[in-house]
C-alpha cells in the first residue's frame, strides 16, 4: 500500500479510539500528523548510577528487579506497589559501586497495579527514568518511566561498555562521540513481542536500546484528555516507519545508512499495514529513499542548498525523532523557511495573475460625480485621503482588477474614500457594492451615503440589502441590483447569497475584511455575466503593522490613512483589578454621573450567558480561547494564553515555536482558567447595584435578530436605555456620539488590537471619554504586561505591533489569516520578518525565470494547495 501525505489515518491505524481522539485534534491524514508539531522538546536525560543520584535531578539507569510487593493502603482506598532494583551491572560500566533503590507506584485501580506487577517481576531487566527523592532513608523513584528489556540480551549490563566514558562527567556520553545522542537510533515505538512463544511483550530488545529511548530529547505535543502526548508521538513515528524511515536523522543532515539500528517497526496492534513487510530485508538505504519519495521536497534544490536547509523528509524526522535539541531547532527552521517561501510564491503569483484578468475600466470624466461629491463636503479632505483617492482613481482606470487594502484608524475617513471610488464606478455606467459585516453597520452606511449623494446630479440610487429585511423590501432590492442600473448597493452577507445578481458589477468594497471568508468574496467575483473580475477595495480599522501587512497582503496594494480629524479628545484608559471593590465602586459611580449628564455607556462581556463554552462566533475573546483548542490541533504553534504559562512560553521561545492563546502545562494539557463573564450575568448584577437605581439597561448579542439589534441600538442612541451590556458585536461600525464610557470585562483575555477597536466606540462626539479595562490577571503575568501597553498608548500601529509580539498574528489578522486553518503553523510575522523578506526575494527570482513553476512540480502543488486552502491570506477577505 502506497502511503502519501493525503492518506487517511483511519485506513492505517487499527485503534479506532485513537483515530477518533486524533481527529478531535484536527489530525485526519498523514500530512496532518506530520505537521502536528510538538510545542517543546525535552532536554536529554543524563545517565547516572544509583550512587550518583542527586535528589530533584532527572536521571536514567539500567537495573534488575530484585523483589516486588503490593501493599493495600488501609488508611485510604487504593494500593501501593514497591519494587527494589539493583544496578550492579550498570554501575560497573560507570566504574562506581552498585546500589539499590525503591520504585513506588500508587493507584486506586487494581487492574493498573496488576499490570505493573506483571511487568516488574523479580529478575526482569529494566531501564528507569525519573526524579529521585529520599523516603525513610532510602532512595526512591515515585512513578518513574519504566522500560522492560527482553530476556536474552546478556543481562542488564549488556552493551553498556560504550557508556563507560561518560562516567567521569556524569553526562552519559556515548563512547567516541562528541554528541552523546548523535549516533544512536530511536526506539520510541513499542518493540514487537519478545522472542517467539513468550507470553509477555517487552518495551525494548536490548538495554542500550531502552537507554537510548529514555535519554534522547523527546518531543512533547499538545494533548487532550482523550490521547496523551506519548501516544501521539508513537503514532507519528509509526507512520514515518511505514513511509520508509528506518533510521533517525544524523548530525550531518542525511538519513543514516545501512548497519544502523533503526526506528523500531510499530506493532500490528497499532498500525494495520506496514510498508515493506513483504520484504523483511529492506535496507536502510532503500528505507531512506522510500521516505524521501513519500515526502518529496517542496523547496527548489538551489534554494535549499543556498540556505543550507534539510530535505523535507529529514526535517520531519528530526522534529518527531530528534537526535539532539540542536537538530530539532534546525528542522524547525527548515520547515519555517519552507512556509515563508510557499506563501510568498503564492502571493507573487496571485499578484501576477490579477493583472492578467479582465476588469471594467472606470476612467474619470469631466465634471465627475466624484468631484461633485468632494466639492460638496463640509470639510476639507486630509492629505492622506486625497492621496488614496488619487491612487484608487488610477487603479480603477485600468482594464485589470484593482486589489487594494485600505487601513485607517476609527474616524480617519475611510467611508469618504470608499464612496469616492464607488461614485467613479457609477459614473462609468457600472454598479458598486459595499459589503458590511453587520446589519447595524450596513444601515448606517446606507443612511450616511444616501445623505452624502442626495445633492448630486444625476441622482444616484442607493439600495440597501440585508438578511433581516421584510420579503417585499428584499425582493425590491434584489430586483434593483439585478437590473444592472448604475448605482450603489449597500449589503450585509446577503450579497453572498445565490439570489443576489449584479450583472454590471465593477467595484466591490468590503468593510472590515477579517469578517468575511474567501468563499464569500469569490461568490461576488462570479456575479458578473461578462467574465470580468470586479475591482476590489478591502478596508479595515484593525491596525495591521506594516511588516505584517507586507507579509500577508503582499499581493495587494496597501494604503494607510494615518491622520485623524480634528476635535477628537484622547480616550482616558484605566486598568481596574476586579478584586479591588473600592475602585470598582468608584468606577460605577462615575458612569452613573456621566449617564445623568446625558451620556451613554457600553459594558462589554465576552460571553452571552454563563452556559456558553464559547462566544457567538464573532471575534470576541472566546474565539481566541475557544479556537485555540482547534489551533492546538491545527498548529503546534497556533494559538496562542494571556495569564501564566511562563515556563512553557520560555521553553517554546527556546525552540522558536509560539503558542500565544492558551496556557499548557509541561505535558501539553490545557491549564484551566477562570470562567469568562457573560452578558446576562453582568446585566443582572449591575442592575442591582445602588449606583444604577432607576437606570434602564439593554442587552445586545449576536443571537439577537436583526430587527431587535436595530431597535436596541436606536433606544441606546436615543437615551431610553443609556447603558448597553453587550458582547463584542459593538466592536465594528457602531457610532453613538453620546457614548463616553466603555467597561470591558475580562480585558486580560482579549488581544490588544481588539481592545483598541472596542475603545474606539467612545469619544466619537468630541466629549471627554473613558475606557475601563477590568482584569483578573495575576501581577507580573504576560496578560498584565499587555494591558499596560494599551493603558499607555492610543497609537493603533504601536498597539498592533505589540499585539503581534505578545500573541502572534491571530488577533490582528483574524483566525483564518493567522495560520489557524492553514498550512502556516511555524512562521511568525514579527520575528521572522527577515526570513520572509529573503524568501520573497528568492521567490521573485524563481518566478522571473519560471513564472508557471513548470520545473518545480512539488512547489507548484504546494502553492496551489496554499492558495486553495488559505486564500484569506491572499485577499484579506
Amino acid at each position: 500500500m502506497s502511503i502519501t501525505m493525503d492518506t487517511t489515518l483511519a485506513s492505517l491505524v487499527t485503534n479506532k479510539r485513537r483515530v477518533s481522539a486524533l481527529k478531535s485534534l484536527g489530525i485526519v491524514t498523514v500530512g496532518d500528523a506530520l505537521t502536528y508539531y510538538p510545542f517543546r522538546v525535552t532536554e536529554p536525560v543524563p545517565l547516572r548510577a544509583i550512587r550518583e543520584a542527586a535528589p530533584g535531578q532527572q536521571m536514567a539507569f539500567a537495573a534488575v528487579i530484585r523483589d516486588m510487593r503490593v501493599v493495600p493502603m488501609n488508611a485510604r482506598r487504593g494500593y501501593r506497589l514497591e519494587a527494589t532494583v539493583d544496578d550492579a551491572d550498570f554501575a560497573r560500566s560507570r566504574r562506581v559501586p552498585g546500589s539499590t533503590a525503591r520504585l513506588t507506584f500508587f493507584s486506586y485501580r487494581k487492574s493498573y497495579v496488576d499490570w505493573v506487577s506483571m511487568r516488574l517481576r523479580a529478575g526482569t531487566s529494566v531501564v528507569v527514568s525519573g526524579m529521585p527523592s529520599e523516603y525513610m532513608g532510602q532512595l526512591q523513584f515515585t512513578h518513574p518511566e519504566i522500560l522492560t528489556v527482553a530476556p536474552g540480551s546478556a543481562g542488564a549490563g549488556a552493551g553498556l561498555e560504550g557508556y563507560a566514558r561518560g562516567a567521569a562527567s556524569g553526562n552519559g556520553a556515548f563512547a567516541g562521540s562528541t554528541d552523546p545522542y548523535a549516533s544512536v537510533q530511536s526506539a520510541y515505538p513499542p518493540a514487537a513481542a519478545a522472542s517467539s512463544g513468550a507470553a509477555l511483550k517487552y518495551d525494548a530488545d536490548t538495554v542500550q536500546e531502552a537507554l537510548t529511548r529514555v535519554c534522547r530529547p523527546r518531543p512533547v505535543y499538545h494533548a487532550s484528555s482523550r490521547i496523551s502526548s506519548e501516544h501521539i508521538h508513537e503514532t507519528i513515528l509509526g507512520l514515518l516507519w511505514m513511509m520508509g524511515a528506518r533510521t533517525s536523522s544524523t548530525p550531518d543532515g542525511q538519513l543514516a545508512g545501512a548497519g544502523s539500528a533503526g526506528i523500531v517497526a510499530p506493532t500490528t496492534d497499532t498500525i494495520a499495514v506496514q510498508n515493506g513487510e513483504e520484504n523483511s530485508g529492506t535496507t536502510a538505504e532503500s528505507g531512506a529513499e522510500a521516505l524521501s519519495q513519500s515526502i518529496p521536497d517542496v523547496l527548489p534544490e538551489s534554494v535549499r542548498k543556498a540556505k543550507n536547509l534539510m530535505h523535507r523528509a529529514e526535517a520531519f524526522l528530526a522534529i518527531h525523532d530528534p537526535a539532539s535539541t540542536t537538530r530539532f531547532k534546525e528542522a524547525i527552521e527548515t520547515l519555517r523557511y519552507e512556509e515563508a517561501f510557499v506563501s510568498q510564491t503564492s502571493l507573487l503569483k496571485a499578484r501576477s495573475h490579477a493583472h492578467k484578468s479582465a476588469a471594467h475600466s472606470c476612467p474619470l470624466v469631466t465634471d465627475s460625480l466624484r468631484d461633485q461629491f468632494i466639492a460638496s463636503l463640509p470639510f476639507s479632505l486630509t492629505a492622506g485621503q486625497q492621496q488614496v483617492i488619487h491612487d484608487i482613481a488610477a487603479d480603477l482606470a485600468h482594464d485589470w482588477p484593482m486589489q487594494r487594502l485600505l487601513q485607517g484608524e476609527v474616524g480617519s475617513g475611510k467611508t469618504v474614500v470608499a464612496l469616492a471610488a464607488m461614485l467613479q464606478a457609477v459614473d462609468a455606467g457600472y454598479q458598486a457594492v459595499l459589503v458590511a459585516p453587520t446589519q447595524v453597520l450596513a444601515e448606517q452606511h446606507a443612511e450616511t451615503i444616501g445623505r452624502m449623494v442626495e445633492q448630486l446630479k444625476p441622482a444616484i440610487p442607493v439600495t440597501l440589502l440585508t438578511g433581516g429585511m421584510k420579503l417585499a423590501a428584499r425582493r425590491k432590492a434584489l430586483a434593483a441590483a439585478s437590473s444592472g442600473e448604475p448605482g450603489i448597493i449597500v449589503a450585509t452577507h446577503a450579497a453572498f447569497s445565490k439570489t443576489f445578481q449584479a450583472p454590471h458589477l465593477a467595484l466591490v468594497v468590503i468593510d472590515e475584511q477579517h469578517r468575511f471568508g474567501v468563499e464569500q468574496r469569490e461568490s461576488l467575483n462570479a456575479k458578473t455575466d461578462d467574465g470580468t473580475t470586479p475591482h476590489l477595495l478591502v478596508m479595515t480599522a484593525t491596525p495591521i503593522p506594516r511588516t505584517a501587512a507586507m507579509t500577508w497582503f503582499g499581493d495587494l496594494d496597501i494604503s494607510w490613512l494615518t491622520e485623524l480629524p480634528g476635535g477628537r479628545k484622547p480616550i482616558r484608559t484605566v486598568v481596574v483589578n476586579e478584586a479591588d471593590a473600592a475602585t470598582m465602586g468608584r468606577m460605577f459611580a462615575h458612569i452613573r454621573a456621566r449617564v445623568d449628564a446625558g451620556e451613554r455607556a457600553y459594558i462589554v462581556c465576552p460571553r452571552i450567558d454563563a452556559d456558553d463554552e464559547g462566544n457567538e462566533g464573532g471575534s470576541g475573546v472566546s474565539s481566541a480561547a475557544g479556537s485555540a483548542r482547534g489551533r492546538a490541533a491545527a498548529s503546534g504553534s497556533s494559538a496562542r494564553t494571556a495569564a501564566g504559562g511562563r515556563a512553557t512560553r520560555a521553553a517554546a521561545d527556546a525552540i522558536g515555536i509560539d503558542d500565544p492563546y492558551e496556557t499548557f502545562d509541561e505535558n501539553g494539557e490545557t491549564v484551566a482558567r477562570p470562567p469568562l463573564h457573560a452578558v446576562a450575568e453582568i446585566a443582572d448584577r449591575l442592575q442591582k447595584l445602588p449606583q444604577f437605581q432607576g437606570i434602564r439597561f439593554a442587552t445586545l448579542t449576536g443571537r439577537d435578530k436583526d430587527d431587535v439589534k436595530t431597535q436596541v441600538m436606536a433606544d441606546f442612541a436615543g437615551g431610553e436605555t443609556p447603558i448597553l451590556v453587550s458582547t463584542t458585536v459593538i466592536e465594528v461600525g457602531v457610532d453613538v456620539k453620546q457614548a463616553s464610557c466603555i467597561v470591558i470585562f475580562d480585558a486580560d483575555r482579549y488581544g490588544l488590537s481588539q481592545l483598541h477597536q472596542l475603545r474606539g466606540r467612545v469619544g466619537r462626539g468630541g466629549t471627554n471619554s473613558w475606557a475601563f479595562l477590568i482584569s483578573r490577571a495575576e501581577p507580573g503575568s504576560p496578560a498584565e504586561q499587555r494591558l499596560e501597553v494599551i493603558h499607555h498608548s492610543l497609537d493603533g500601529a504601536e498597539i498592533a505591533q505589540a499585539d503581534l509580539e505578545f500573541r502572534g498574528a491571530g488577533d490582528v489578522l483574524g483566525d483564518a489569516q493567522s495560520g489557524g486553518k492553514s498550512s502556516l503553523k511555524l512562521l511568525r510575522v514579527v520575528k521572522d520578518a527577515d526570513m520572509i523578506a529573503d524568501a520573497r526575494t528568492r521567490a521573485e527570482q524563481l518566478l522571473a525565470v519560471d513564472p508557471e513553476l513548470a520545473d518545480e512540480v512539488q512547489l507548484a502543488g504546494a502553492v496551489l494547495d496554499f492558495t486553495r486552502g488559505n486564500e484569506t491570506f491572499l485577499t484579506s477577505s
Side-chain angles (χ1 to χ4, degrees):
M1 175 180 179
S2 177
I3 300 173
T4 68
M5 298 285 278
D6 295 322
T7 303
T8 61
L9 295 189
S11 65
L12 302 177
V13 179
T14 55
N15 187 330
K16 299 310 175 188
R17 292 182 63 184
R18 182 173 295 189
V19 171
S20 176
L22 290 168
K23 185 177 180 180
S24 70
L25 296 177
I27 305 173
V28 178
T29 66
V30 172
D32 294 335
L34 296 186
T35 56
Y36 190 79
Y37 300 118
F39 70 94
R40 70 183 179 94
V41 64
T42 63
E43 291 298 324
V45 177
L47 292 172
R48 291 175 185 158
I50 292 175
R51 284 190 179 273
E52 299 172 305
Q57 295 182 16
Q58 192 84 8
M59 61 175 283
F61 63 94
V64 175
I65 304 292
R66 292 304 177 208
D67 60 67
M68 184 272 301
R69 63 174 185 153
V70 176
V71 182
M73 294 185 290
N74 296 325
R76 52 188 177 134
R77 193 164 52 89
Y79 304 88
R80 182 178 76 253
L81 184 149
E82 296 178 347
T84 303
V85 293
D86 182 347
D87 74 337
D89 290 340
F90 178 74
R92 188 178 306 114
S93 73
R94 294 185 60 82
R95 300 172 184 170
V96 296
S99 188
T100 61
R102 182 168 53 209
L103 313 182
T104 305
F105 301 84
F106 299 93
S107 180
Y108 293 114
R109 290 163 40 210
K110 185 65 164 60
S111 59
Y112 172 77
V113 173
D114 291 343
W115 177 73
V116 176
S117 301
M118 179 179 65
R119 300 180 74 227
L120 303 186
R121 295 179 301 180
T124 302
S125 296
V126 295
V127 166
V128 180
S129 174
M131 193 86 73
S133 60
E134 190 174 331
Y135 179 71
M136 297 184 67
Q138 185 174 5
L139 197 67
Q140 174 175 278
F141 293 82
T142 304
H143 285 276
E145 179 182 1
I146 301 289
L147 299 184
T148 57
V149 180
S153 58
L160 296 176
E161 294 77 6
Y163 291 86
R165 190 170 299 184
S169 63
N171 63 2
F174 295 111
S177 174
T178 56
D179 181 346
Y181 302 101
S183 61
V184 182
Q185 312 310 319
S186 172
Y188 277 88
S195 45
S196 62
L200 294 176
K201 291 184 178 180
Y202 294 89
D203 299 312
D205 293 327
T206 66
V207 171
Q208 182 163 342
E209 180 184 294
L211 286 168
T212 299
R213 173 173 169 179
V214 300
C215 289
R216 286 186 61 158
R218 199 171 321 186
V220 183
Y221 302 82
H222 288 314
S224 70
S225 58
R226 299 180 60 187
I227 186 168
S228 67
S229 172
E230 194 66 33
H231 283 155
I232 294 171
H233 191 208
E234 174 187 297
T235 302
I236 292 174
L237 284 189
L239 295 172
L240 284 169
W241 189 94
M242 294 173 66
M243 297 177 82
R246 295 297 181 269
T247 59
S248 55
S249 59
T250 57
D252 61 3
Q254 304 298 319
L255 293 173
S260 301
I263 293 179
V264 176
T267 65
T268 53
D269 292 339
T270 304
I271 299 295
V273 182
Q274 295 184 0
N275 184 28
E277 58 190 356
E278 296 85 359
N279 179 13
S280 58
T282 300
T283 65
E285 289 98 329
S286 63
E289 183 179 347
L291 183 63
S292 61
Q293 290 174 354
S294 300
I295 310 175
D297 215 348
V298 169
L299 287 174
E301 185 71 9
S302 58
V303 174
R304 187 171 71 83
K305 288 184 176 179
K307 298 294 295 181
N308 194 27
L309 301 173
M310 300 180 184
H311 187 282
R312 192 175 199 224
E314 174 69 11
F316 279 133
L317 200 54
I319 286 173
H320 296 296
D321 186 35
S324 66
T325 54
T326 299
R327 290 297 292 162
F328 179 88
K329 294 175 185 177
E330 291 172 354
I332 289 290
E333 285 302 295
T334 291
L335 295 181
R336 183 170 283 146
Y337 191 88
E338 178 188 289
E339 290 183 358
F341 195 86
V342 170
S343 65
Q344 294 307 305
T345 304
S346 300
L347 289 167
L348 292 168
K349 281 182 66 65
R351 189 182 185 94
S352 172
H353 287 164
H355 284 197
K356 296 177 182 177
S357 302
H360 292 299
S361 174
C362 304
L364 275 175
V365 297
T366 305
D367 192 27
S368 66
L369 289 171
R370 191 202 74 169
D371 292 341
Q372 288 183 48
F373 161 65
I374 293 174
S376 70
L377 291 172
F379 53 83
S380 299
L381 296 178
T382 66
Q385 287 175 312
Q386 294 177 24
Q387 182 61 50
V388 174
I389 288 174
H390 174 76
D391 292 342
I392 291 175
D395 288 345
L396 292 176
H398 294 144
D399 58 2
W400 64 81
M402 170 183 72
Q403 289 186 294
R404 184 172 291 275
L405 171 67
L406 174 59
Q407 290 193 78
E409 289 275 9
V410 173
S412 61
K414 296 186 300 297
T415 303
V416 170
V417 172
L419 182 51
M422 289 189 286
L423 288 174
Q424 185 172 337
V426 172
D427 225 359
Y430 299 110
Q431 295 168 294
V433 174
L434 170 62
V435 188
T438 67
Q439 175 165 330
V440 170
L441 184 54
E443 290 172 345
Q444 288 184 358
H445 275 317
E447 180 183 353
T448 301
I449 291 172
R451 192 169 59 247
M452 286 180 165
V453 302
E454 62 184 358
Q455 302 298 327
L456 302 183
K457 302 296 181 182
I460 307 299
V462 179
T463 304
L464 175 65
L465 176 63
T466 70
M469 298 173 70
K470 292 183 178 179
L471 183 59
R474 181 180 174 84
R475 285 177 174 173
K476 183 178 179 181
L478 289 171
S482 62
S483 71
E485 179 187 2
I488 295 172
I489 303 163
V490 181
T492 58
H493 291 70
F496 305 123
S497 68
K498 293 181 179 179
T499 56
F500 176 76
Q501 296 294 328
H504 294 156
L505 183 61
L507 172 64
V508 175
V509 180
I510 296 182
D511 196 10
E512 288 308 318
Q513 44 80 24
H514 64 284
R515 299 300 184 90
F516 300 104
V518 61
E519 296 86 0
Q520 295 171 321
R521 188 193 70 83
E522 286 301 310
S523 72
L524 280 177
N525 273 353
K527 296 301 179 185
T528 54
D529 297 332
D530 52 11
T532 59
T533 300
H535 298 283
L536 176 67
L537 174 66
V538 291
M539 305 191 299
T540 180
T542 303
I544 304 173
R546 190 171 295 264
T547 54
M550 293 304 296
T551 299
W552 301 133
F553 307 120
D555 64 323
L556 302 180
D557 296 307
I558 304 176
S559 299
W560 278 268
L561 290 177
T562 57
E563 301 172 68
L564 290 178
R568 292 197 63 176
K569 296 182 179 179
I571 302 168
R572 304 175 190 177
T573 305
V574 182
V575 179
V576 181
N577 189 317
E578 190 173 338
D580 186 349
T583 303
M584 293 284 286
R586 290 195 300 272
M587 176 188 71
F588 291 134
H590 171 80
I591 292 172
R592 174 58 187 264
R594 302 322 306 162
V595 168
D596 288 343
E599 297 169 9
R600 313 283 186 269
Y602 297 104
I603 311 289
V604 179
C605 303
R607 286 163 64 182
I608 298 176
D609 54 54
D611 295 331
D612 280 347
E613 299 232 342
N615 86 328
E616 64 234 21
S619 58
V621 63
S622 14
S623 69
S627 66
R629 287 185 290 274
R631 253 195 308 276
S635 78
S637 80
S638 207
R640 283 94 43 246
T641 184
R646 287 182 290 275
T648 301
R649 176 61 70 109
D653 284 345
I655 60 173
I657 299 180
D658 293 326
D659 187 21
Y661 284 94
E662 286 192 282
T663 301
F664 298 91
D665 63 21
E666 61 181 12
N667 296 316
E669 295 281 356
T670 304
V671 176
R673 296 184 292 179
L676 299 167
H677 288 301
V679 168
E681 164 214 352
I682 292 298
D684 182 62
R685 283 172 52 187
L686 295 187
Q687 290 180 82
K688 295 176 181 177
L689 293 177
Q691 293 96 327
F692 296 123
Q693 290 302 306
I695 297 294
R696 289 186 61 193
F697 281 66
T699 62
L700 182 67
T701 75
R703 287 186 191 162
D704 295 329
K705 294 182 178 179
D706 287 337
D707 56 343
V708 173
K709 291 179 182 177
T710 301
Q711 186 61 50
V712 167
M713 289 308 303
D715 291 345
F716 177 64
E720 293 182 38
T721 52
I723 297 181
L724 178 63
V725 185
S726 78
T727 58
T728 55
V729 292
I730 60 119
E731 177 187 357
V732 173
V734 175
D735 188 1
V736 178
K737 298 191 184 303
Q738 299 90 338
S740 63
C741 296
I742 185 168
V743 178
I744 305 172
F745 280 90
D746 294 306
D748 52 298
R749 305 277 284 274
Y750 289 84
L752 297 183
S753 292
Q754 190 170 27
L755 288 175
H756 182 61
Q757 276 281 84
L758 289 167
R759 180 171 60 180
R761 296 305 101 203
V762 299
R764 303 169 71 85
T767 60
N768 292 322
S769 54
W770 293 262
F772 299 97
L773 310 181
I774 312 303
S775 168
R776 289 182 282 184
E778 297 181 4
S781 67
E784 185 183 64
Q785 296 169 20
R786 286 212 319 272
L787 291 181
E788 281 303 303
V789 172
I790 200 163
H791 178 207
H792 294 293
S793 178
L794 293 171
D795 185 330
E798 177 184 333
I799 290 169
Q801 184 73 21
D803 209 3
L804 280 170
E805 293 170 358
F806 273 115
R807 293 182 60 125
D811 265 358
V812 177
L813 307 179
D815 281 353
Q817 296 165 353
S818 63
K821 298 177 181 178
S822 76
S823 56
L824 291 189
K825 301 176 181 180
L826 299 173
L827 201 60
R828 303 162 303 183
V829 175
V830 177
K831 295 182 179 179
D832 298 326
D834 291 343
M835 176 186 290
I836 293 166
D838 180 88
R840 190 176 183 88
T841 299
R842 293 179 187 274
E844 287 174 339
Q845 294 170 353
L846 176 66
L847 290 172
V849 177
D850 185 6
E852 297 303 320
L853 301 178
D855 296 330
E856 299 292 344
V857 178
Q858 295 302 326
L859 176 61
V863 166
L864 183 61
D865 289 342
F866 178 89
T867 304
R868 285 173 174 171
N870 307 281
E871 198 170 358
T872 41
F873 283 90
L874 310 183
T875 64
S876 68
S877 60

